[in-house]
């Protein structure tokens, strides 16, 4: 059966989405079913429910990273040309007339809504991808709903922001291609880049998603034909930062013999003091209200 705008609006309201809400949306259009009008209809339904005072945010990641092995070919970044590689809904949203897209070559975000221009501002490649100067702390502070429409919590980029904020030493660097003002192709260095393995990636339940569920943070429902899960960003930050204080390797995988995670654990062992020293900073930023690191 065809999924219509009205059906989507009804499902979103039933899920508990309210006017004025900020939503950070990870999505799969296909999972919603046969939607009359496609991605635009899905975006339109979210916008109708949250109203013009709300904000709909999507990641618009792009294949601009230079593969050190010389394998996959990178495309130069240009925020008005480069497609999003994370699905039709995201690639449709950034192209909308009133959308704003951040100017980050590897991990840009796009948003529509009253505060969208301010939200995407200053996301420059010279600053860490998910750092305090990026859009990420802005939606966390606002306790935005991070919503997974037909996709698993394995694609939760906001978890990388927590890694960055406490300076977990396994975040790396990457070279990305950027189109310069005269059309020339430049190579820029991106820092705080989330390469390598994580224990929360993938389609299935992981020890990380199970923990978030156990803490009672996960809302579940259905929109169109898609299964939907959602978590509140600031609530997630509290639970994860508390956990990472005791177990800074919690977001890594638990497979024996994983070279990346083994090396990452070694680096963590050398920087526990630096990691813990970040907690008062996050408290000062309004991103952490827990009792750790007082
Ligand atoms: Zn691993």
């Amino acid at each position: 059966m065809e999924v219509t705008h009205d059906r989507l609006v009804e499902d979103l309201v039933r899920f508990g989405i309210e006017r004025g809400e900020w939503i950070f949306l990870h999505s799969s259009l296909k999972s919603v079913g046969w939607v009359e009008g496609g991605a635009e209809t899905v975006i339109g339904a979210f916008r109708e429910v949250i109203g013009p005072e709300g904000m709909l945010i999507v990641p618009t990641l792009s294949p601009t990273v230079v593969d050190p092995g010389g394998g996959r070919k990178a495309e130069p970044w240009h925020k008005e040309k480069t497609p999003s590689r994370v699905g039709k809904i995201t690639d449709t949203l950034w192209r909308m007339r009133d959308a704003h897209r951040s100017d980050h070559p590897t991990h840009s975000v796009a948003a529509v809504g009253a505060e969208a221009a301010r939200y995407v501002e200053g996301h420059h490649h010279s600053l860490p991808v998910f750092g305090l100067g990026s859009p990420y702390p802005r939606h966390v502070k606002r306790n935005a709903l991070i919503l997974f429409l037909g996709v698993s919590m394995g694609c939760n980029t906001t978890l990388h922001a927590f890694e960055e904020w406490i300076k977990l030493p396994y975040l790396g660097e990457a070279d990305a291609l950027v189109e310069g003002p005269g059309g020339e192709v430049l190579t820029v260095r991106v820092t705080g880049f989330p390469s390598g393995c994580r224990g929360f990636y993938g389609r299935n339940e992981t020890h990380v998603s199970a923990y978030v569920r156990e803490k009672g943070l996960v809302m579940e429902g259905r929109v169109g034909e898609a299964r939907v899960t959602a978590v509140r960003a600031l609530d997630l930050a509290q639970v994860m930062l508390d956990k990472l204080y005791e177990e800074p390797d919690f977001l890594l995988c638990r497979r024996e013999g994983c070279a990346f995670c083994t090396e990452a654990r070694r680096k963590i062992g050398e920087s526990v003091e630096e990691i813990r020293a970040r907690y008062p900073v996050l408290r000062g930023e309004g991103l952490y209200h827990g009792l750790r690191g007082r």
Side-chain angles (χ1 to χ4, degrees):
M1 201 176 67
E2 202 168 48
V3 177
T4 60
H5 171 89
D6 290 352
R7 157 92 184 275
L8 291 171
V9 166
E10 200 178 297
D11 288 354
L12 290 169
V13 170
R14 185 178 312 117
F15 188 74
I17 293 171
E18 291 177 357
R19 223 174 162 72
E21 189 100 75
W22 283 27
I23 295 176
F24 194 108
L25 178 65
H26 297 278
S27 58
S28 152
L29 176 60
K30 267 187 223 148
S31 72
V32 186
W34 183 257
V35 183
E36 177 189 88
E40 283 176 24
T41 300
V42 177
I43 294 166
F46 273 99
R47 298 187 76 172
E48 181 170 325
V49 175
I50 63 180
E53 65 270 48
M55 186 148 71
L56 181 62
I57 307 159
V58 293
T60 56
L61 316 189
S62 32
T64 56
V65 177
V66 179
D67 180 353
R72 194 165 42 89
K73 202 177 170 312
E75 283 174 40
W77 162 254
H78 189 293
K79 79 168 185 171
E80 278 144 35
K81 294 183 202 165
T82 308
S84 164
R85 65 170 176 81
V86 283
K88 185 69 181 165
I89 292 173
T90 70
D91 198 48
T92 300
L93 188 139
W94 77 261
R95 296 169 197 272
M96 295 177 101
R97 217 161 21 95
D98 61 342
H100 293 266
R101 190 182 197 187
S102 76
D103 199 4
H104 193 282
T106 64
H107 286 78
S108 61
V109 290
V112 287
E115 292 170 77
R118 197 147 26 109
Y119 174 73
V120 303
E121 207 174 65
H123 200 193
H124 192 258
H125 65 75
S126 62
L127 298 171
V129 179
F130 301 102
L132 297 180
S134 79
Y136 277 82
R138 300 169 192 161
H139 72 256
V140 171
K141 239 181 247 183
R142 181 69 179 244
N143 210 9
L145 200 59
I146 305 173
L147 194 139
F148 305 88
L149 179 65
V151 293
S152 82
M153 291 195 282
C155 57
N156 190 357
T157 45
T158 300
L159 292 175
H160 293 307
F162 308 152
E163 295 177 322
E164 169 61 39
W165 299 347
I166 58 171
K167 297 287 175 198
L168 288 174
Y170 57 77
L171 287 170
E173 293 187 341
D175 285 332
L177 301 184
V178 169
E179 186 179 320
E184 72 283 18
V185 176
L186 311 169
T187 303
V188 298
R189 176 60 51 91
V190 173
T191 63
F193 187 79
S195 50
C197 180
R198 296 294 187 279
F200 62 86
Y201 289 166
R203 285 163 189 254
N204 301 322
E205 184 89 321
T206 64
H207 74 271
V208 177
S209 58
Y211 184 72
V212 173
R213 204 178 295 279
E214 183 190 306
K215 289 287 172 182
L217 296 190
V218 179
M219 301 163 60
E220 286 180 284
R222 206 162 263 283
V223 171
E225 286 163 22
R227 290 178 54 142
V228 176
T229 49
V231 288
R232 293 264 167 213
L234 189 59
D235 299 344
L236 182 67
Q238 306 319 298
V239 160
M240 275 299 140
L241 290 167
D242 271 350
K243 187 70 175 166
L244 290 166
Y245 191 87
E246 296 305 335
E247 290 178 46
D249 66 347
F250 184 67
L251 296 173
L252 296 170
C253 89
R254 293 169 169 183
R255 280 191 303 275
E256 231 175 280
C258 172
F260 180 89
C261 295
T262 303
E263 174 60 9
R265 287 196 171 88
R266 190 193 60 75
K267 289 185 190 163
I268 286 172
E270 290 174 353
S271 50
V272 171
E273 292 309 309
E274 286 100 311
I275 292 168
R276 293 191 168 175
R278 295 289 300 167
Y279 280 75
V281 177
L282 299 183
R283 183 191 304 284
E285 293 284 339
L287 295 167
Y288 181 65
H289 312 309
L291 298 174
R292 310 297 173 87
R294 250 203 265 233

